[in-house]
Structure formats: structure tokens, C-alpha cells
Amino acid sequence: MKIIQLEYFVAVVKYNNFTKAANFLHISQPSLTATIKKLENELGYELFIRTTKDIKITEKGIQFYNYAEELIQTYHQTVEKMHDLNTSQEPKIKLSILESSNQWVSQVIAAHHKHHMNQTYLVSEIHDQNKILEQLLNFENHIAFTNEQITHEAIESIPLYEESYVLIAPKDTFPKTKALSIQSLPLILPTQGSQVRKHLDDYFKRMNIHPEIIMEVDRFEAATNFVHRRLGYAVIPRVYYQSFNARDLDAIDIRPQIGRTIYINYLKKRKHSERVLSLIEHCISYWNIKE
């Protein structure tokens, strides 16, 4: 079985028509039909039921389609990675970051890049702790930032800095107020399942606070936009308040205080290049200097 056979099969499923799929693939319709028939013979079962009017995918064909899609995607991702190795002497450094860390991480990468001008980077934003761990263990990322420590024997998880959460509000909404309770305020909070929301829910439970949640959003950027529109007040990490989107708002300390620790994580058993190790050191040094 070859990847090209899977790609032909997927095209027939997507177009639900042999002629249209053949035109898309730039091959003859008889050649496509023969390829699918050969694939069915190799598998030992039919993928399609053919009539004079149309074709219908079988139940086994549906299951095979799901596997075929995954295999094709994996194949092309692998080819792309091999191409990266061929066109660059230095493979990409891959990082997963938190939304709140965008600003300082960009400064660190800029400083790192000055010393390694031909280095390229792939930066993704991931907040699911399980996915972060999985990608580190599967060698998909070199470095990952989390707002909770990863407790796994294969992972080095180093605390970088601590920060408090703050309430953001339109300018002069609470004049001369340095700290306040969020007990009865209309709040814009992260959606359920995120680590930040978990921190806040634990805080509400400990403090016996019953929050008035008027909106839930996926990103701090969206939350601050809605605060600008005076739809409510958002709780965000203090470091994110440095971002362009939040700088025209007031940041007010929450009473009692709530905070978190940001960690840098990497796989112990992986043979990291000197450049990856240098970037890790840049991240650690950035916060040592700050403190």
C-alpha cells in the first residue's frame, strides 16, 4: 500500500465522484478506478458501493478513511520536517508559549537571534497541560512554558517567575483604589478547562466568593477588548498587562491576592543542541536579571 493510493481514495471520498476526483488529481478516470479497485483487493473489502447513478462509501470505508487521512497528514508533516533539515543547517527551535508570555518571550528570542542569525523558530500557543507534556515527550517541542509545574520524571520543570493576577478596568473606573475585592463585580473570565480558570475557581472556593460571571472567553486579548467596551472587568496575569492591548486600562490589585508561577520545561533525555540550551539559559537569565 502506497501513500498515493490513500490520496486517491481520499479524493474520491471528498468529491463523491470518480470523474471529479480524477480531474482534481490530473489523472484519467479509468486509472483512478483501477487504483481504488487494487486498493480494495489488497484490503480484502469494498470501500465503495457503486451503482449506475452514484457511489456510496461503506462502513469499513469510513473507518479506513479516518486512518488514511491521519496517515497522509503524518506523511506530509514528515516530508516537511525532512525538507527543513535539508534546507537549513540548523533545525527550527520549537516552543510552546502562554498568551501572557508573548511580550517577554519575543524579547528573549530577539536577543538569542542576534547571536544566531541563521536560526529559525516555530512558536505555538498551548494552554492544555496534558498536550504540552505529550508534545515534549514526543519530541515535537524543545521548550514549553506552563503556569503549573510539570511533575514527570522525564521533564525538567524550572520556575522562572511569580506574578499576581490583577483586575483590569477602563481608566478611572476606580479612582485612587489600589486593591479591591471582586466579590460583586461583573467579571469576564477564561473559559472552563483552562489553567487560569482553574486557578480562579480554586481561589473563589477558598475565599467563599460567588463570582458574577457575565462572559467567558478563550483569550486575554478578547477579555481586554470587552473591557474596553465596558462590558465588565477581566482578571488577567500582571505580565499580560504590559501588552499593547491592555496598556490603556487600569490594573488594580485583587484583595485577597491571587497569583501563579510560570515554569520553563524541557525533556531531560533529549540531546539538545547548544542553541536550544542557550535559549533556555536566555529565558532563565531574563528573569534573574529582572529580579
Side-chain angles (χ1 to χ4, degrees):
M1 189 180 301
K2 300 177 181 178
I3 285 292
I4 195 169
Q5 291 176 292
L6 301 183
E7 290 180 328
Y8 284 8
F9 165 68
V10 166
V12 174
V13 174
K14 288 183 175 179
Y15 284 94
N16 198 39
N17 183 287
F18 275 88
T19 302
K20 291 180 179 178
N23 289 336
F24 168 75
L25 295 166
H26 302 292
I27 61 172
S28 68
Q29 191 256 315
S31 177
L32 176 59
T33 302
T35 300
I36 297 300
K37 190 62 182 176
K38 181 179 179 182
L39 181 59
E40 289 177 321
N41 290 337
E42 289 180 14
L43 292 170
Y45 52 80
E46 289 185 323
L47 297 170
F48 301 102
I49 299 297
R50 302 160 180 81
T51 68
T52 54
K53 293 183 178 180
D54 59 12
I55 60 171
K56 293 183 179 179
I57 189 169
T58 64
E59 287 299 316
K60 287 184 178 179
I62 292 171
Q63 295 180 50
F64 182 72
Y65 172 79
N66 292 329
Y67 290 122
E69 278 272 60
E70 185 177 344
L71 284 169
I72 291 169
Q73 184 178 359
T74 301
Y75 169 78
H76 286 294
Q77 286 175 345
T78 302
V79 170
E80 182 181 351
K81 290 174 182 176
M82 296 305 100
H83 179 71
D84 286 344
L85 289 176
N86 187 45
T87 57
S88 173
Q89 291 183 347
E90 295 294 336
K92 293 175 184 174
I93 298 179
K94 300 180 180 180
L95 311 88
S96 70
I97 67 172
L98 303 170
E99 183 185 0
S100 62
S101 65
N102 274 327
Q103 184 152 322
W104 73 262
V105 169
S106 66
Q107 294 176 33
V108 170
I109 291 178
H112 183 266
H113 193 252
K114 285 182 179 179
H115 298 284
H116 309 286
M117 296 299 291
N118 65 336
Q119 181 62 58
T120 58
Y121 309 83
L122 179 61
V123 182
S124 57
E125 194 175 291
I126 305 175
H127 295 267
D128 185 314
Q129 195 99 334
N130 291 327
K131 186 175 181 181
I132 290 171
L133 175 60
E134 178 185 340
Q135 291 194 345
L136 286 173
L137 293 175
N138 289 337
F139 306 97
E140 294 176 44
N141 278 326
H142 297 94
I143 302 168
F145 299 102
T146 58
N147 54 22
E148 287 188 357
Q149 186 172 23
I150 294 180
T151 53
H152 190 286
E153 60 182 8
I155 302 296
E156 190 73 56
S157 190
I158 302 170
L160 287 179
Y161 61 95
E162 295 181 0
E163 65 176 332
S164 60
Y165 289 103
V166 294
L167 185 81
I168 56 169
K171 287 285 186 183
D172 300 321
T173 304
F174 302 100
K176 299 181 180 179
T177 301
K178 293 184 177 180
L180 80 170
S181 169
I182 56 177
Q183 170 70 62
S184 57
L185 298 176
L187 298 178
I188 302 168
L189 298 182
T191 52
Q192 291 281 356
S194 70
Q195 288 297 317
V196 172
R197 180 59 182 272
K198 180 177 179 294
H199 293 167
L200 295 175
D201 285 344
D202 289 345
Y203 172 80
F204 295 144
K205 187 175 181 179
R206 287 198 319 271
M207 299 300 158
N208 195 28
I209 293 175
H210 303 284
E212 181 188 342
I213 304 170
I214 64 163
M215 190 179 297
E216 295 174 282
V217 295
D218 286 333
R219 294 175 56 82
F220 298 134
E221 181 182 9
T224 53
N225 287 339
F226 288 122
V227 174
H228 279 293
R229 296 290 181 181
R230 298 181 179 272
L231 293 172
Y233 310 110
V235 178
I236 66 171
R238 181 171 286 282
V239 168
Y240 183 77
Y241 181 66
Q242 301 170 359
S243 71
F244 175 81
N245 198 41
R247 65 177 58 169
D248 291 328
L249 301 169
D250 283 337
I252 304 161
D253 289 332
I254 296 170
R255 187 180 65 242
Q257 191 180 58
I258 173 176
R260 66 178 186 173
T261 304
I262 302 300
Y263 294 83
I264 184 171
N265 307 275
Y266 57 91
L267 190 60
K268 293 178 184 177
K269 66 179 180 181
R270 184 169 184 168
K271 177 59 178 173
H272 291 292
S273 69
E274 288 300 321
R275 294 190 175 197
V276 172
L277 296 174
S278 171
L279 182 56
I280 292 171
E281 186 55 40
H282 269 69
C283 293
I284 295 172
S285 298
Y286 178 89
W287 287 102
N288 286 340
I289 294 170
K290 283 277 184 180
E291 295 170 356

